[in-house]
Amino acid sequence: MSNIILIGFMGCGKTTIGIRLSYRLRMPFEDTDKLIENNLGMTISEIFSKEGEAFFREKETELLSFLLEKSIDNTIISVGGGTPIKEINRELIQRLGTVVYLRIQPDTVYERIKNDKSRPLLQEVNPKERINSLLRERNSKYEAAADIIIDVDHMGMDELVAQIEKQCAKIM
Ligand code: S3P
């Protein structure tokens, strides 16, 4: 399918880049975190605190399966930072379209999200350590799922969007 799927760690810019890309390529934009929040009528933080992380992870898989079943097409889809951890999700994401991994360094993540309270996994005494260990654990999974890898740390928004457009055009 000719969707573009944006994956990567919290704070890598999936949503912002997705919206910019969507304007540029005139493709609709969907964010799976937002779709899950709307379906359940709860924020991500509420889902984690009331239902637990495992429940949220099931919802992510269900939603990806649903998007595939309804043959979503020609859409930019941003998925949660933890979605590609599960093998089944990596398979589903790859079946949905071209997967772009927005790779980010842990220090950049920390600078971007240090005052953000909306990400339950980083509400820790030592968020820096948590970011380091989660990224270490996840990076190879993101890379395994990706068709295209873009390093976001030192690139401006316009350049990033242009790079993604160029790389996608080569393989889509
Ligand atoms: C998560 C990332 C979040 C959200 C949830 C869990 C993760 O999405 O799905 O808080 O496990 O990395 P963003 O990457 O859009 O912040």
Side-chain angles (χ1 to χ4, degrees):
M1 273 175 245
S2 59
N3 301 294
I4 296 176
I5 327 300
L6 301 178
I7 65 169
F9 201 74
M10 293 172 266
C12 70
K14 297 180 293 281
T15 307
T16 317
I17 293 169
I19 292 169
R20 293 283 288 265
L21 204 56
S22 132
Y23 278 111
R24 173 121 171 188
L25 301 180
R26 295 172 200 278
M27 288 163 74
F29 172 71
E30 293 290 358
D31 177 332
T32 58
D33 279 345
K34 278 277 160 291
L35 292 173
I36 293 172
E37 286 185 331
N38 292 344
N39 286 346
L40 298 178
M42 285 190 269
T43 64
I44 299 290
S45 297
E46 286 167 346
I47 300 168
F48 269 69
S49 66
K50 291 188 184 149
E51 309 288 350
E53 181 175 348
F55 174 87
F56 174 71
R57 299 298 174 203
E58 278 170 30
K59 295 296 145 194
E60 289 183 300
T61 306
E62 280 172 27
L63 179 62
L64 293 174
S65 305
F66 171 77
L67 294 176
L68 258 180
E69 264 166 39
K70 76 162 199 168
S71 305
I72 188 171
D73 203 16
N74 205 37
T75 300
I76 314 276
I77 305 169
S78 158
V79 304
T83 309
I85 313 169
K86 277 165 70 179
E87 191 180 353
I88 176 74
N89 292 352
R90 293 200 291 278
E91 274 175 43
L92 293 168
I93 287 168
Q94 285 174 322
R95 284 171 57 197
L96 274 168
T98 302
V99 182
V100 180
Y101 170 26
L102 303 173
R103 189 164 56 190
I104 189 167
Q105 296 303 313
D107 290 347
T108 318
V109 176
Y110 180 70
E111 281 311 312
R112 290 187 185 181
I113 55 90
K114 61 185 173 196
N115 299 316
D116 184 339
K117 297 275 169 267
S118 70
R119 290 176 166 111
L121 289 181
L122 302 179
Q123 306 313 305
E124 297 259 332
V125 184
N126 191 344
K128 230 176 192 171
E129 193 34 58
R130 181 79 163 141
I131 292 166
N132 278 328
S133 68
L134 277 176
L135 250 179
R136 219 177 299 123
E137 220 171 276
R138 290 179 176 182
N139 184 52
S140 58
K141 294 180 176 155
Y142 292 138
E143 289 184 352
D147 298 302
I148 294 166
I149 300 176
I150 309 266
D151 286 301
V152 302
D153 303 81
H154 305 295
M155 242 193 260
M157 193 53 69
D158 287 343
E159 200 188 343
L160 271 171
V161 171
Q163 271 295 325
I164 297 170
E165 186 182 1
K166 194 167 128 196
Q167 304 266 346
C168 284
K170 274 194 214 155
I171 60 171
M172 280 176 85

